Amino acid sequence: MTDPRTATVACPFCSTLNRVDLAKLDKGPKCGNCGRPILLDRPIAVSDSSFDRVTSETTVPVVVDFYADWCGPCKIMAPLLDDVARHRQGELLVLKLDTDRNPQTGPRFGIRGIPTLIAFRNGKEVARRVGAVPLAELDAFLKGI
């Protein structure tokens, strides 16, 4: 038997980490602590404290957007990543890490410019793209993971 497709994500309401069975997204996963919905059709916020668990305990590829609210190119990428999360939910997990609010993780991965996209499999970096990219280039990056 193969491992099920699962994602470990923090509840956006209470920050409790939850393991979500990606094969059952149509049943509307809920937080095991507060009971509120966990929506994977959009990028999920991750923090310094939850980053390692989320990237290593998720069995599908994970794409992390290292960004900041004030960054113009980051704002350009946001709707593209929203579309990726919506159209590829269950196949991959799209995360976002605000580098201003979470100052520890970026330097660990040598983030020198934002936006930076890093793809992970089993907690290990497998691909990286720095800067805003057009949709075709984003699609090519995602096909490589």
Side-chain angles (χ1 to χ4, degrees), residues 7-142:
T8 298
V9 295
C11 172
F13 302 102
C14 72
S15 299
T16 299
L17 288 177
N18 291 267
R19 176 156 295 168
V20 176
D21 184 341
L22 298 175
K24 297 180 181 178
L25 287 178
D26 60 331
K27 297 194 185 316
K30 295 185 180 358
C31 175
N33 183 53
C34 72
R36 296 185 76 179
I38 295 176
L39 304 173
L40 299 179
D41 63 345
R42 61 203 68 191
I44 304 292
V46 69
S47 66
D48 285 338
S49 63
S50 63
F51 183 88
D52 289 332
R53 282 195 59 198
V54 173
T55 56
S56 65
E57 294 179 10
T58 298
T59 62
V60 295
V62 176
V63 176
V64 182
D65 174 25
F66 291 83
Y67 80 101
D69 287 335
W70 52 263
C71 169
C74 299
K75 290 178 184 180
I76 292 169
M77 290 301 298
L80 298 177
L81 293 169
D82 290 347
D83 286 344
V84 167
R86 185 172 35 263
H87 291 91
R88 305 244 347 238
Q89 67 177 319
E91 298 172 32
L92 62 82
L93 183 64
V94 179
L95 303 176
K96 58 183 184 175
L97 184 122
D98 184 329
T99 56
D100 287 338
R101 292 191 177 110
N102 299 282
Q104 297 171 354
T105 305
R108 282 181 38 214
F109 289 94
I111 303 299
R112 298 188 198 286
I114 53 174
T116 293
L117 299 176
I118 300 181
F120 293 86
R121 281 189 177 271
N122 303 314
K124 306 278 190 243
E125 180 178 337
V126 295
R128 176 183 295 231
R129 183 68 179 98
V130 179
V133 296
L135 182 58
E137 198 170 324
L138 177 61
D139 286 341
F141 171 78
L142 295 172

